[in-house]
Amino acid sequence: MTDTATPAATAPEYPQTLGHPRPLWMLFMTEFWERFAFYGIRWALTLYIVAQFFDGDAAGQGYASRTYGAYLALVYATAVFGGYVADKIIGYQRSILLGAVVMASGLFLIMWPNQSVFLLGLSTVIVGNGLFKPNISSMVGQLYGVDDPRRDRGFTLFYMGINGGALVAPLLTGWLASVLSHAPMQQNYRAVFLASGVGMLLSLVWFAIGRRSLAGIGRPPADQAGMARVAYVVIGVIVAIPLVYLLMARVGALGLQWLLSAIFVGVGAMLIVEALRTGTVQVHRVIAMLIIFAFNVLFWMFFEQAGSSFNFLAQHIVDRRLFAGWEFPIGWFQSVNPVAIVLLAPLVSLGWAWLYRKGAEPSIPRKFGLGLLFNAIAFVVLIYALSSLVSTDGQIPFWPLVLVYVLQTVGELCLSPIGLSMVTKLAPARLVGLGMGGWFLSTAIGNNLSGLFAGHVSGESGMTVASALSGFTFSFWLLLGASLVLLALAPLINRLMHGVK
């Protein structure tokens, strides 16, 4: 099979816009609407579960956090299979189109106020996202030649663009939930899910119209372009949705952690076996990539407290009263991260470019170490607030949580877009899609751990100042230790990468 994922030594001659291939902007607008859909529901899920299925009882926080973590984990874990489907069966463009249809269906399904149907809807979103998410990121890498110094900057711009959707979605859906009606909040949350479903349909239409600008990139080879292969994948989707539902409803977050870890080992083995066919250099590069994947797990374990423990912190412990009694909507905290990305991503991109010209741009593992370090510093702010700024009514000021999101965003910009670019450089040429799936799988493991950890912070009766302080202190020390270890290992990892920057 022709490898549609492999970044060629020289990419097709695309028209350029703002110094980058024009299809880049089509791809990040497609992802803009997909991220609108994803982040439109992200902030509301745990709050909806507690309100709808536990009648607002704080004892439901632990279950909600574990369910949220499992959902996020499976969203990213299915990227492994979605990447393989695109690599070997139907190509990238068809995978993205099919994934968008399935995701939109799931977003409309979770509106039904029944716990089993809700979990089935989440399972449908998960399967659709697995087909969509890794493959659009892989296609960005194919727009640039292997040695094109704009690749990292292109991924950073892509990352900035897609976060426009993540910025707008919580603002709009948070406003909908707070002002739509005086009905119980769980009914307003269902309007949030409807708006997100519409956003996913817009993503589908945008890509369907704009994909002709890709000049054939992402299409299957001519001898494998028949619709029979698409039909087989559709059957696989129909089978996969109830299997994912069983993982959500029956296996639970702890059992899922063992399963994800086993899959991660299997993916690593497949990548190494493929590398052995090429030679020692490729084996070393895969090992370097897998080491970085392991540190990626820790980053996302604590970064993804945003949708679980940070949500309950904002709801119960943060004083959100700002002007004349107006209360800052909980969902709007989720827009701090994308606002910071939109503002800071150009500066980070320019900073890397300036250091590149000076011959001093940090290597990939050092960038990851900086990402972990900024994540650790963010928890220092929470430790200070929860130990020194608690008012007599048990609340902390508004600003520490905002600052936490900003600091975590700096860490994210050092790590996440660089990770996407890293996979397209280090993965075996024939399995770039699977390598991208492995990247998302490491994120999935971190996300599932985030739910387990958030459930521990909330305990059996809900989050308290004491439980939050204890949990976030642990977060700081683990992240700090991991960042120092990775920075110390950076020279060894750089040697394993054999010149890849």
Side-chain angles (χ1 to χ4, degrees):
M1 173 176 176
T2 303
D3 178 35
T4 58
T6 305
T10 58
E13 292 294 330
Y14 292 111
Q16 304 291 298
T17 300
L18 300 179
H20 289 271
R22 189 169 297 167
L24 171 69
W25 310 105
M26 183 277 292
L27 291 174
F28 87 59
M29 282 304 299
T30 300
E31 186 77 334
F32 172 99
W33 286 114
E34 188 274 334
R35 290 292 89 182
F36 176 94
F38 182 83
Y39 282 93
I41 69 169
R42 177 177 178 257
W43 71 268
L45 287 176
T46 53
L47 303 178
Y48 174 74
I49 290 170
V50 173
Q52 178 69 50
F53 306 126
F54 290 87
D55 295 323
D57 190 338
Q61 290 181 14
Y63 170 82
S65 293
R66 290 188 294 271
T67 300
Y68 172 78
Y71 159 73
L72 279 186
L74 288 166
V75 158
Y76 286 98
T78 51
V80 177
F81 303 103
Y84 187 83
V85 165
D87 275 335
K88 299 296 185 182
I89 303 177
I90 63 174
Y92 290 79
Q93 292 190 22
R94 288 176 172 180
S95 294
I96 291 168
L97 290 169
L98 179 59
V101 171
V102 175
M103 284 181 69
S105 302
L107 288 165
F108 293 125
L109 195 58
I110 62 175
M111 294 173 59
W112 192 262
N114 175 277
Q115 189 168 359
S116 295
V117 177
F118 174 78
L119 291 176
L120 183 64
L122 287 183
S123 302
T124 305
V125 173
I126 287 165
V127 173
N129 194 83
L131 288 168
F132 188 104
K133 182 64 177 172
N135 298 317
I136 196 165
S137 300
S138 295
M139 290 182 70
V140 172
Q142 297 172 57
L143 301 179
Y144 300 89
V146 171
D147 297 322
D148 192 331
R150 300 175 301 164
R151 286 170 64 84
D152 279 3
R153 299 193 288 280
F155 271 100
T156 299
L157 290 170
F158 177 71
Y159 207 69
M160 179 186 68
I162 66 177
N163 274 277
L167 186 162
V168 173
L171 294 177
L172 176 60
T173 58
W175 173 79
L176 279 174
S178 63
V179 305
L180 184 65
S181 73
H182 296 293
M185 274 299 294
Q186 53 264 39
Q187 294 186 26
N188 290 357
Y189 289 139
R190 289 196 284 276
V192 167
F193 304 151
L194 173 63
S196 297
V198 171
M200 196 63 236
L201 290 179
L202 290 172
S203 176
L204 170 64
V205 171
W206 195 280
F207 184 76
I209 294 173
R211 65 190 178 122
R212 59 176 65 98
S213 69
L214 293 166
I217 279 184
R219 292 180 181 174
D223 62 342
Q224 298 179 0
M227 293 303 294
R229 286 172 169 260
V230 177
Y232 295 148
V233 174
V234 170
I235 293 171
V237 166
I238 294 171
V239 172
I241 289 172
L243 291 177
V244 172
Y245 171 84
L246 291 175
L247 290 174
M248 294 277 291
R250 299 287 183 264
V251 174
L254 188 58
L256 183 60
Q257 191 61 37
W258 287 101
L259 177 62
L260 292 174
S261 299
I263 295 173
F264 182 76
V265 171
V267 169
M270 291 176 67
L271 290 169
I272 289 175
V273 168
E274 177 64 29
L276 286 169
R277 298 177 181 176
T278 304
T280 302
V281 170
Q282 185 61 72
V283 172
H284 287 174
R285 287 175 174 170
V286 168
I287 291 172
M289 184 172 67
L290 293 175
I291 292 172
I292 292 175
F293 283 179
F295 285 95
N296 189 52
V297 169
L298 284 177
F299 180 88
W300 294 105
M301 175 180 175
F302 297 107
F303 182 90
E304 276 301 340
Q305 296 306 304
S308 50
S309 67
F310 288 0
N311 246 359
F312 295 124
L313 186 78
Q315 186 178 41
H316 298 292
I317 298 177
V318 173
D319 184 358
R320 295 181 286 114
R321 295 166 298 179
L322 296 182
F323 310 111
W326 177 74
E327 195 168 67
F328 189 85
I330 296 172
W332 286 14
F333 280 106
Q334 303 296 315
S335 286
V336 176
N337 169 255
V339 165
I341 285 177
V342 170
L343 294 176
L344 296 176
L347 299 179
V348 172
S349 182
L350 290 172
W352 295 148
W354 181 79
L355 290 171
Y356 172 81
R357 291 193 296 270
K358 299 292 184 179
E361 183 176 5
S363 63
I364 289 172
R366 287 193 173 95
K367 288 177 180 176
F368 269 70
L370 291 172
L372 288 164
L373 184 59
F374 276 104
N375 202 350
I377 294 170
F379 282 94
V380 173
V381 176
L382 282 181
I383 292 170
Y384 170 69
L386 291 166
S387 60
S388 303
L389 301 179
V390 180
S391 65
T392 54
D393 58 353
Q395 292 192 314
I396 63 174
F398 174 84
W399 65 265
L401 186 55
V402 173
L403 181 57
V404 165
Y405 279 113
V406 173
L407 289 169
Q408 284 193 323
T409 299
V410 177
E412 181 185 6
L413 287 170
C414 291
L415 179 147
S416 193
I418 307 307
L420 295 173
S421 180
M422 172 196 71
V423 172
T424 65
K425 297 175 185 177
L426 295 181
R430 284 162 35 95
L431 290 181
V432 172
L434 183 64
M436 194 67 73
W439 162 258
F440 288 120
L441 181 58
S442 69
T443 304
I445 294 172
N447 288 338
N448 193 60
L449 286 171
S450 79
L452 289 168
F453 178 74
H456 172 74
V457 173
S458 289
E460 296 297 325
S461 57
M463 179 182 292
T464 65
V465 170
S467 68
L469 178 59
S470 174
F472 298 150
T473 300
F474 171 81
S475 305
F476 163 71
W477 287 112
L478 186 55
L479 284 167
L480 178 63
S483 67
L484 295 177
V485 169
L486 182 54
L487 289 171
L489 289 175
L492 170 62
I493 298 173
N494 286 332
R495 287 197 294 272
L496 290 172
M497 290 166 60
H498 290 276
V500 169
K501 303 295 184 183

